[in-house]
Amino acid sequence: MMLSSYLLAQSIHISTKNMSLVLNAQTGKELKFVYFGQKLSDQDLNSIEKTEAARFAAYPVYGLNCTQENALSVQHADGNMSLEMAVQSVDKKDDTHAVTTTITMKDKVYPFYVKVNYKAYKDVDMIETWTEVNHGEKGIVMMTEFASAYLPIRKGNVYISHLYGAWGNEGKLVCEPLTPGVKEIINKDGVRNSHTAHAEVMFSLDGEAKENEGRMIGAALCYSGNYRLKVNTDESEYHHFFAGINEDNSWYNLKKDETFATPALALTYTKEGLSGASRNFHQWGREYKLANGNTLRKVLLNSWEGVYFDINEEGMDQMMADIASMGGELFVMDDGWFGIKYPRRNDHSSLGDWEVDKTKLPHGIQGLIDAAKKHGIKFGIWIEPEMTNTVSELFEQHPDWVIKAPQRELVLGRGGTQVVLDLSNPAVQDFVFGVVDNLMTKYPDLDYIKWDANASIMNHGSNYLTKDNQSHLYIDYHRGLEKACQRIRAKYPKLTIQACASGGGRANWGVLPYFDEFWVSDDTDALQRVYMQWGTSYFFPAIAMASHISAAPNHQTGRVIPLKFRIDVAMSGRLGMEIQPKNMTEDEKKLCKNAIAEYKNIRPIVQMGDIYRLQSPYNHIGISSLMYVTPEKDKAVFYWYKTEHFVNQHLPRIPMAGLKADKNYKVHELNRIDANPLVVEGQVFSGEYLMSNGLEIPYSHRVRGTQPDYSSRVLYLEEVN
C-alpha cells in the first residue's frame, strides 16, 4: 500500500526493531539528517526534534556549498554545475516485510529530481538506502558524482574496521582510528570487487572495536562493481561517510526521463559490538538477500585441486565414488571439460566454447550425471561465462564482443589469452544467460554451477556503447551481469550457484541475490583460512562461505597441517572437500567420513545460527575462537584453534557467549582424535558458567604417542533439563 504525501510534521522517523533514523523533511527546504542509532522512544523522539540541530543535508549536493564533500554532482544541459534540492513530497510504502520511505526532492530552478529511499525491515535491524535520479531537461545532464548515501558520524573515539587483501589472501582485517583527513576504500577491477578491499565497513563508536559489546554502525554497499567508500574527517564535529559507485572514468550522461538508480547501502546499528553487527548482517542476508538463504547447503567434493585440468571420465567416476563413500552429497567437476576445435588443456584457450570434449568425456555430461545417480549423489559443473580466450571459436566468431580500447591492441589476461566479454551488449547478455540455460535444458538434473571470473577489465572500450557513452562501461557491465543473472534466477530459482572469482573476488551483497555462496579464497591453507574466514564473517554468514578440506602439503603455501585441523576449520563454514581422495589413507578417509556425518548434525546451527566471535587471531596471542548458537539458544557449536605452537606456552581460557545463563548444556567433542576423551566430555555446565569461565582446553592432542604441533577443538553444546 502506498501512502502519498503522508507527512504532517517535518520529522520523519524510520525505524526497525532496535534502531531509528530521523530526518527533517520540511517541504520546500533541504532534506536534513537528524539522528541514527538506538531506537527512540516517543518521548525521546519528541525531545530530539527540539534539541538536535539538523546540521547536515541527508544527501548533500554540489554547487552552493562547494567546500564540502558531496554525494551528487552534475552538469546541467546548459552547463550549470550547481544543484539546490528541496523536499517536494514524502511517500511511504508498507509491505509485508519492510516499510519504504521515499523523499522526492526537486531542484529549485531545474526540472531535476532526486528520490532518496529508505527501506526499513520489520524483523531484522537493517535499513537500506539508495537514490533515484531523473530530469526533464532538454539535453543531457552529466553526472560526475553519484553516491548511494551519506551518513554523518559524531566524532569521539571512533574506529573503522574493514577488509583488505589480495589473491589468495582475501578478507584480511584491519581496525584503525579515524583521524583528520580522508580515508578511502576503493575498487577499480571492473569485474571483481573484493580481492583487495571490501565494500563493507564497521564503525566502532566507543574506541577500538570489541566483539560482543560496544556501539557499532555497520555499512555494506550492495554492489558488484567498482565502488568508493570515503570518510572525510574535517574541522566539524563529525566524520562524513559516503558510499557508492566509484565514479572514476564513469561519469554518466543522463538522458531526459531516464532514471539512474544507485545501489543500496545497507546500514545497521547495535550495542553488541562487531559480532552483534555481524548477526544483523547475517540474518538480513539469509532472509532477504542470499539466493536460497534458508536452504541448507550440501557437502561437496570439488575436482580442482585433485586433478586440475586433467579431467577424464574414469577419474570423475572414481572421485564421485570416493565422496559418496564418505557421506558427501555432491560432486563438482571443475575447469577442463570443454572445447572441441580448441580443447581445454590449460588456461590458454577455449573459454566461450561450452561444448563437451568427448576425448575426455566419451559419454558427455549426461554420463557423469548418471554416474552420480549411481553413487547416490548430485552433480555440478564449472563455467566462466563472462570470459573468452583469443584462442577460441567464440572469439573467432565474435571479436567485437570483447572489451577493447579502440585503435589499441588487446591487453590480455590469464594464460596470455583471456579477455572479458562486454556485458553492456544485450547480445552478450543473451550469450551468458544461454551458457547456463543450454546446460540446464540439456541436463536438467544438474544441481550446482561454479561460476568463475578470472580477469579484470584491463583496457577501456566498448564496441556496443556509443562514442559519447564510453564512460558508462564499468556501470553498464554490471547492469548487464545483473540482467543475465535475473533471467537465470527467474528460470532456475533453486539451482545452486557459487560465485567464484579467482577465489574471493565476488564476496559482495550485489551479486549474492543471484548466488547461493562464494568461494572465500583459492588459498585452502587451513591456518590462513582462520584469518580470512574470520574477517569475511564480519559481513557474510557461514552458509555463504565455501570452506574446503584440502591436501597436505597445501597446494598454495606448501604448509603441512594435520587433517584434524583442516577439518575443524572447514567445518566453520559450508563444508566441502578440495582434495584427491585416492591419495588419502584409509584412516584419513575414515576421519573425513566421521567429520561429514558430524557436520550434518550441526549444519543447521552453523549455517543458520548466530555467530559470536570470541578471540580474534589478529590479537596474535596464539589462539582463535568463535561459536554459532541457534536462535532458540538450545544448541551451539564452539570452535577453538591454536594458531601458534611454542614450548611451555600459556593461552587464555575463552569464555563463551550467546547462551542462556539459566540453562544447562551438555558438552560433546566432535572430530575427536585423542586416545582419551576430554575431561569435560559428557559433563553439564550452566550457560552462566560457560559464559563467565569457559572450559579448559588442552593445548595439544595425544594420538598414538605423538603430539602434533597444530591443535583444534570443536565442541557441541546441547541444552538439557
Side-chain angles (χ1 to χ4, degrees):
M1 177 176 62
M2 178 72 78
L3 301 176
S4 298
S5 301
Y6 78 98
L7 186 65
L8 297 178
Q10 65 182 17
S11 285
I12 300 174
H13 183 204
I14 298 163
S15 65
T16 65
K17 292 187 300 181
N18 297 298
M19 63 184 195
S20 291
L21 172 67
V22 181
L23 304 168
N24 183 296
Q26 188 173 354
T27 302
K29 302 291 185 180
E30 187 176 40
L31 179 66
K32 294 286 191 175
F33 170 87
V34 178
Y35 172 87
F36 177 66
Q38 187 69 19
K39 188 166 186 177
L40 298 170
S41 66
D42 290 341
Q43 178 60 57
D44 288 334
L45 178 61
N46 181 63
S47 295
I48 71 165
E49 288 177 353
K50 301 172 183 176
T51 61
E52 291 287 342
R55 297 177 178 85
F56 303 108
Y59 192 71
V61 296
Y62 180 79
L64 299 182
N65 191 1
C66 299
T67 63
Q68 302 300 308
E69 296 283 350
N70 293 283
L72 181 65
S73 300
V74 307
Q75 184 178 51
H76 295 281
D78 65 1
N80 192 329
M81 294 181 64
S82 67
L83 287 168
E84 187 177 12
M85 306 303 298
V87 173
Q88 188 178 57
S89 65
V90 180
D91 301 301
K92 183 170 71 171
K93 184 179 180 181
D94 192 338
D95 291 326
T96 303
H97 301 293
V99 176
T100 301
T101 303
T102 300
I103 302 100
T104 300
M105 298 185 291
K106 180 188 177 299
D107 186 86
K108 290 188 175 182
V109 175
Y110 292 89
F112 185 92
Y113 303 88
V114 176
K115 291 183 177 181
V116 183
N117 302 282
Y118 297 92
K119 183 176 184 178
Y121 287 88
K122 296 178 180 180
D123 56 346
V124 294
D125 283 316
M126 197 68 63
I127 296 173
E128 296 175 22
T129 179
W130 71 98
T131 59
E132 297 167 82
V133 181
N134 65 82
H135 71 88
E137 300 183 33
K138 292 182 179 180
I140 295 293
V141 174
M142 181 189 295
M143 301 170 60
T144 55
E145 288 183 300
F146 32 87
S148 295
Y150 159 70
L151 183 70
I153 300 171
R154 181 65 165 80
K155 285 182 182 177
N157 190 12
V158 179
Y159 274 65
I160 183 173
S161 297
H162 58 99
L163 306 180
Y164 71 101
W167 173 87
N169 194 23
E170 296 94 333
K172 299 294 291 299
L173 174 67
V174 62
C175 179
E176 56 189 343
L178 284 178
T179 56
V182 176
K183 170 73 178 179
E184 283 195 326
I185 301 168
I186 65 171
N187 175 265
K188 293 186 177 183
D189 184 276
V191 175
R192 310 157 302 181
N193 72 7
S194 56
H195 275 308
T196 58
H198 268 250
E200 305 92 28
V201 293
M202 290 193 189
F203 298 99
S204 170
L205 308 184
D206 300 310
E208 190 167 359
K210 297 181 177 62
E211 278 296 345
N212 292 293
E213 61 178 301
R215 296 175 300 152
M216 195 72 56
I217 293 172
L221 186 68
C222 304
Y223 189 54
S224 58
N226 294 359
Y227 57 80
R228 184 188 305 275
L229 308 184
K230 177 167 59 177
V231 184
N232 180 23
T233 301
D234 61 12
E235 73 282 2
S236 73
E237 294 290 344
Y238 285 78
H239 307 282
H240 304 277
F241 173 56
F242 297 82
I245 294 172
N246 188 336
E247 67 278 4
D248 284 359
N249 299 302
S250 292
W251 61 90
Y252 195 88
N253 298 314
L254 190 66
K255 297 180 294 185
K256 180 181 180 181
D257 298 327
E258 177 186 3
T259 297
F260 182 96
T262 65
L265 179 71
L267 292 168
T268 193
Y269 173 87
T270 180
K271 295 190 293 185
E272 297 179 356
L274 293 163
S275 287
S278 295
R279 291 191 288 274
N280 290 346
F281 279 116
H282 296 181
Q283 292 163 10
W284 162 79
R286 288 192 301 263
E287 190 66 32
Y288 297 109
K289 288 295 177 181
L290 184 65
N292 303 305
N294 291 312
T295 301
L296 294 175
R297 306 298 192 246
K298 297 179 180 70
V299 177
L300 64 85
L301 169 63
N302 184 272
S303 70
W304 179 243
E305 287 191 11
V307 298
Y308 290 102
F309 292 99
D310 190 18
I311 297 290
N312 62 74
E313 202 167 84
E314 181 181 358
M316 298 299 94
D317 184 77
Q318 168 261 315
M319 294 184 82
M320 284 189 271
D322 283 335
I323 189 60
S325 71
M326 287 185 278
E329 300 156 314
L330 169 67
F331 174 74
V332 180
M333 179 176 64
D334 212 290
D335 198 352
W337 59 269
F338 53 93
I340 297 176
K341 181 178 179 180
Y342 301 104
R344 180 78 162 175
R345 300 286 186 264
N346 49 45
D347 61 7
H348 300 173
S349 73
S350 316
L351 291 177
D353 301 346
W354 303 107
E355 296 292 332
V356 179
D357 181 351
K358 290 294 185 73
T359 64
K360 291 184 174 185
L361 304 172
H363 296 93
I365 303 302
Q366 189 59 53
L368 296 177
I369 292 173
D370 293 342
K373 288 181 180 178
K374 175 186 69 178
H375 295 300
I377 61 175
K378 298 291 186 178
F379 182 79
I381 200 166
W382 179 96
I383 57 174
E384 193 174 358
E386 299 159 75
M387 308 289 168
T388 189
N389 296 104
T390 52
V391 182
S392 70
E393 293 185 75
L394 179 65
F395 184 76
E396 290 173 349
Q397 296 164 8
H398 297 287
D400 57 315
W401 278 10
V402 306
I403 292 174
K404 177 183 179 298
Q407 304 183 58
R408 309 289 184 190
E409 293 295 322
L410 268 171
V411 179
L412 302 173
R414 186 185 187 206
T417 60
Q418 186 159 337
V419 288
V420 182
L421 295 175
D422 182 1
L423 271 165
S424 71
N425 186 339
V428 175
Q429 297 166 27
D430 290 342
F431 172 79
V432 170
F433 167 76
V435 174
V436 176
D437 189 45
N438 292 337
L439 282 171
M440 295 304 298
T441 300
K442 292 179 183 177
Y443 315 112
D445 289 330
L446 271 176
D447 186 73
Y448 181 104
I449 284 178
K450 179 179 179 180
W451 179 313
D452 216 336
N454 289 305
S456 310
I457 293 178
M458 300 296 292
N459 45 182
H460 194 124
S462 169
N463 284 296
Y464 173 75
L465 296 172
T466 65
K467 64 179 182 180
D468 296 330
N469 289 329
Q470 290 293 306
S471 62
H472 295 193
L473 175 61
Y474 288 121
I475 295 170
D476 283 353
Y477 181 94
H478 288 275
R479 286 177 171 175
L481 173 64
E482 184 170 44
K483 288 177 182 177
C485 289
Q486 287 171 342
R487 292 171 65 188
I488 291 167
R489 276 305 178 193
K491 192 168 182 179
Y492 306 106
K494 299 301 181 184
L495 174 66
T496 302
I497 310 178
Q498 182 191 81
C500 179
S502 298
R506 273 190 172 157
N508 67 71
W509 287 114
V511 299
L512 287 177
Y514 313 108
F515 292 82
D516 301 71
E517 63 178 32
F518 58 87
W519 187 219
V520 174
S521 177
D522 279 343
D523 182 357
T524 57
D525 178 276
L527 179 60
Q528 198 163 347
R529 277 291 188 119
V530 169
Y531 292 82
M532 292 190 288
Q533 292 176 192
W534 182 276
T536 305
S537 76
Y538 270 42
F539 302 97
F540 304 100
I543 193 172
M545 294 167 54
S547 185
H548 294 180
I549 304 164
S550 61
N554 179 262
H555 288 200
Q556 290 77 44
T557 65
R559 199 179 346 250
V560 177
I561 297 177
L563 182 58
K564 155 74 171 168
F565 193 95
R566 287 178 270 150
I567 288 171
D568 287 354
V569 171
M571 283 180 67
S572 67
R574 193 277 289 141
L575 178 65
M577 297 186 71
E578 193 85 16
I579 198 169
Q580 176 53 274
K582 71 179 182 181
N583 296 332
M584 301 170 67
T585 67
E586 289 304 313
D587 284 345
E588 289 173 332
K589 289 182 180 179
K590 182 179 178 181
L591 185 58
C592 285
K593 181 177 182 179
N594 179 70
I596 289 171
E598 296 199 303
Y599 182 78
K600 288 177 181 177
N601 288 332
I602 65 170
R603 176 163 46 185
I605 309 170
V606 176
Q607 295 188 8
M608 302 293 184
D610 294 327
I611 193 170
Y612 291 84
R613 289 181 299 268
L614 306 174
Q615 182 58 248
S616 173
Y618 292 91
N619 290 340
H620 302 294
I621 60 173
I623 189 174
S624 177
S625 182
L626 71 155
M627 62 193 295
Y628 295 100
V629 184
T630 62
E632 300 79 15
K633 300 185 181 298
D634 60 338
K635 298 175 182 178
V637 185
F638 170 85
Y639 296 85
W640 183 98
Y641 308 116
K642 191 173 71 170
T643 55
E644 297 174 350
H645 182 66
F646 299 104
V647 173
N648 197 25
Q649 69 185 130
H650 301 282
L651 301 175
R653 190 157 156 167
I654 307 298
M656 298 184 187
L659 304 172
K660 293 178 181 176
D662 60 347
K663 298 296 182 179
N664 294 319
Y665 296 87
K666 187 176 182 179
V667 179
H668 169 57
E669 183 183 7
L670 306 180
N671 305 333
R672 187 186 125 202
I673 61 172
D674 297 74
N676 297 312
L678 293 173
V679 295
V680 297
E681 177 68 33
Q683 298 300 312
V684 176
F685 301 89
S686 71
E688 178 67 40
Y689 178 85
L690 294 171
M691 292 189 291
S692 297
N693 301 280
L695 297 174
E696 196 67 63
I697 305 294
Y699 293 178
S700 60
H701 298 285
R702 297 289 181 176
V703 186
R704 297 176 184 172
T706 66
Q707 185 173 320
D709 55 350
Y710 287 86
S711 63
S712 57
R713 306 282 174 171
V714 181
L715 304 182
Y716 171 61
L717 309 177
E718 185 172 16
E719 183 184 329
V720 295
N721 294 325

